[in-house]
Amino acid sequence: MSDLFHSQSNFKPRIIPLLGDTDWAQIDRAQTLDPDVTRTIERIQELGREGVVANLKDIPTVGCRLMQREYGVIDLFRLLANKTSGSVSLGDFDNTAFDLCAYLTDTNDAFVGTLVYPKQRLVGFSITIGDPTALIDRSFEFTGESAKLWQGNNKYFIFKKKTVASGDLGSGNAVDITVSDPSAVENPDKAGEYILRVVRVRSGETEELTSDQFSYSAPTLTVDACEAGDVIKYWYTASSWVASPSAPFIENDSDLPAIRANSASLYLKTASSNYLHKVQSATIDVRFDREDVREIGNKEVVLRGTTNKTVTITLGRLLESDFTLEEVLRDVASGYGVIDIDKFSDDLTFICALYSDSDKGTYKLGFKATKLTPSAFRPGTANIDTHVDSGVTLEGEDLLISETYEDLGI
């Protein structure tokens, strides 16, 4: 009798960025990782025949949704943007890709396999504060074309990288890399294939190498035409795990477990900062219109990009007697005589600053959306025995994510 998986402790998520001198990392505070695979089958028929000639499979669409507790750490945003440091803006996601992995153990903690969703791209994400007492959540949506379960002798999906030194260069500037810790195992679907992917990063530019640019003869991976300073990244499967990190997932007790709504400060501003009061819910939602390009003769996506970015801010609040929100939307001084929705500003800035606790003494992470314009406005909804509530939806194209407080301009 086989063991059942427990979706929490036996499902260990990691991410491997494709571009740049980036490393793999575990995904902390994840709540769900939900794939959605769509396979398109085209039934081929012909005159003169009863039934079908064949069923042709098209390239599948493999979407994933990840939900994560907000815990005030920027690392996942950087990994999705294939960056190692600094703040993150929406343009950083244009041509990035990453492998999403789930390392699986059974109820006896025996390792059984790795689920891999290769070369996923970001479709959108949101930051949600559901109500004044809620935990803040992050939600991400991805798209790709493949999903694989590695098991048996190939059960561990391994990533390594090496920075080329001048002394590593051999004949024709080839570099030999010993593939060990652990050893590579042959792909059972492709005889002779041990190395699944090789990427070279040179002067900040990333190139995925073709099979004629590298070779493998156990235990040596040879990469042609290298230069000192190149970063060689390579992927393979193995029957055991690496020495470091010591496990696919190591419990992170140093960062916050989560952040509640009472540890957030919200601002909507024009020329000066305006702290928002009586807000009952807030959502930052980002959508990308992707333009990922294929070519004849190749089933892979060869160019990744986006054509449009949409940032939507939705605020729900109790209607106040001083009409602060409405005055900011109108960009007028306090007490101004008329709030005309036709004259709402189209250059608003929304800021969400997150702190370690409700005392707000330690800043953790912030989101800043600029050049916003109101796209929907609910002046007030009245019901029997309830407070009058109101709300506004703002739209723009820019969002900055930063762990540097000064970047927010509060």
Side-chain angles (χ1 to χ4, degrees):
M1 181 177 177
S2 61
D3 291 315
L4 296 174
F5 291 112
H6 190 289
S7 62
Q8 177 179 320
S9 61
N10 303 119
F11 197 91
K12 307 174 190 300
R14 292 184 74 84
I15 180 173
I16 310 174
L18 181 66
L19 305 182
D21 185 9
T22 48
D23 213 336
W24 61 347
Q26 68 186 44
I27 302 175
D28 294 322
R29 309 300 185 259
Q31 304 298 297
T32 62
L33 181 58
D34 179 22
D36 184 10
V37 179
T38 302
R39 300 179 72 235
T40 302
I41 307 296
E42 189 162 351
R43 183 172 296 175
I44 305 301
Q45 297 174 295
E46 65 179 358
L47 296 175
R49 181 190 295 233
E50 183 76 21
V52 299
V53 178
N55 291 316
L56 296 185
K57 295 179 290 184
D58 198 358
I59 299 171
T61 300
V62 181
C64 281
R65 290 173 294 275
L66 170 69
M67 200 275 274
Q68 182 188 36
R69 295 296 187 204
E70 177 57 69
Y71 66 119
V73 176
I74 198 174
D75 289 359
L76 182 58
F77 289 104
R78 287 178 179 153
L79 292 164
L80 295 173
N82 295 182
K83 296 181 68 172
T84 58
S85 62
S87 61
V88 177
S89 60
L90 297 190
D92 293 328
F93 299 111
D94 279 353
N95 67 338
T96 60
F98 36 85
D99 299 333
L100 294 176
C101 308
Y103 292 82
L104 307 174
T105 60
D106 63 19
T107 50
N108 295 316
D109 288 329
F111 194 85
V112 295
T114 311
L115 274 170
V116 182
Y117 309 103
K119 293 186 180 179
Q120 292 276 300
R121 285 93 61 195
L122 186 61
V123 175
F125 65 90
S126 60
I127 312 298
T128 303
I129 308 177
D131 62 62
T133 63
L135 294 172
I136 304 174
D137 287 330
R138 303 172 177 176
S139 298
F140 301 89
E141 293 183 26
F142 313 107
T143 188
E145 294 77 39
S146 180
K148 294 184 178 181
L149 171 61
W150 296 97
Q151 60 174 355
N153 289 332
N154 303 78
K155 60 187 176 181
Y156 288 93
F157 189 72
I158 305 296
F159 167 81
K160 292 284 189 77
K161 68 173 185 172
K162 173 184 173 59
T163 301
V164 176
S166 57
D168 296 325
L169 299 173
S171 176
N173 285 339
V175 170
D176 290 337
I177 301 172
T178 300
V179 180
S180 60
D181 178 34
S183 300
V185 174
E186 184 179 32
N187 181 355
D189 275 350
K190 292 184 179 180
E193 182 184 76
Y194 288 78
I195 306 301
L196 304 176
R197 185 193 304 153
V198 178
V199 163
R200 179 170 55 210
V201 183
R202 177 178 295 168
S203 301
E205 297 297 321
T206 301
E207 178 187 5
E208 184 171 351
L209 303 185
T210 58
S211 58
D212 61 347
Q213 294 174 290
F214 67 91
S215 60
Y216 178 77
S217 179
T220 304
L221 167 65
T222 301
V223 183
D224 299 330
C226 292
E227 295 179 2
D230 285 353
V231 176
I232 306 300
K233 303 164 69 171
Y234 54 102
W235 289 250
Y236 62 96
T237 59
S239 57
S240 59
W241 183 245
V242 299
S244 180
S246 59
F249 190 88
I250 299 171
E251 294 178 0
N252 173 8
D253 294 325
S254 59
D255 290 317
L256 296 173
I259 294 179
R260 286 199 179 275
N262 59 19
S263 302
S265 292
L266 306 182
Y267 300 84
L268 188 63
K269 54 180 287 190
T270 50
S272 60
S273 296
N274 293 90
Y275 186 90
L276 291 177
H277 296 277
K278 306 298 189 297
V279 175
Q280 302 300 293
S281 62
T283 300
I284 304 170
D285 185 74
V286 176
R287 298 292 110 185
F288 298 97
D289 292 334
R290 298 212 59 88
E291 189 177 41
D292 297 327
V293 179
R294 294 186 174 90
E295 65 181 359
I296 294 173
N298 190 347
K299 69 177 183 178
E300 299 278 345
V301 169
V302 295
L303 292 173
R304 298 177 296 273
T306 60
T307 55
N308 293 292
K309 308 171 184 70
T310 303
V311 178
T312 304
I313 311 295
T314 304
L315 303 173
R317 63 190 285 273
L318 298 178
L319 189 63
E320 295 181 272
S321 59
D322 59 8
F323 301 109
T324 303
L325 173 61
E326 290 75 14
E327 290 167 349
V328 175
L329 295 175
R330 177 69 169 81
D331 193 15
V332 294
S334 176
Y336 190 83
V338 58
I339 304 297
D340 186 345
I341 63 172
D342 287 337
K343 296 182 179 180
F344 277 172
S345 172
D346 59 0
D347 191 17
L348 296 162
T349 296
F350 173 78
I351 298 168
C352 174
L354 303 179
Y355 299 84
S356 60
D357 55 39
S358 58
D359 292 337
K360 301 181 181 178
T362 303
Y363 170 78
K364 301 298 291 184
L365 190 63
F367 304 88
K368 181 179 181 180
T370 57
K371 299 180 181 178
L372 296 167
T373 186
S375 61
F377 178 60
R378 182 161 48 87
T381 300
N383 291 290
I384 299 297
D385 294 330
T386 63
H387 293 291
V388 177
D389 65 357
S390 64
V392 64
T393 300
L394 311 168
E395 284 194 6
E397 297 180 349
D398 299 310
L399 181 72
L400 178 71
I401 306 165
S402 180
E403 61 184 358
T404 302
Y405 182 80
E406 289 73 18
D407 286 347
L408 302 185
I410 300 174

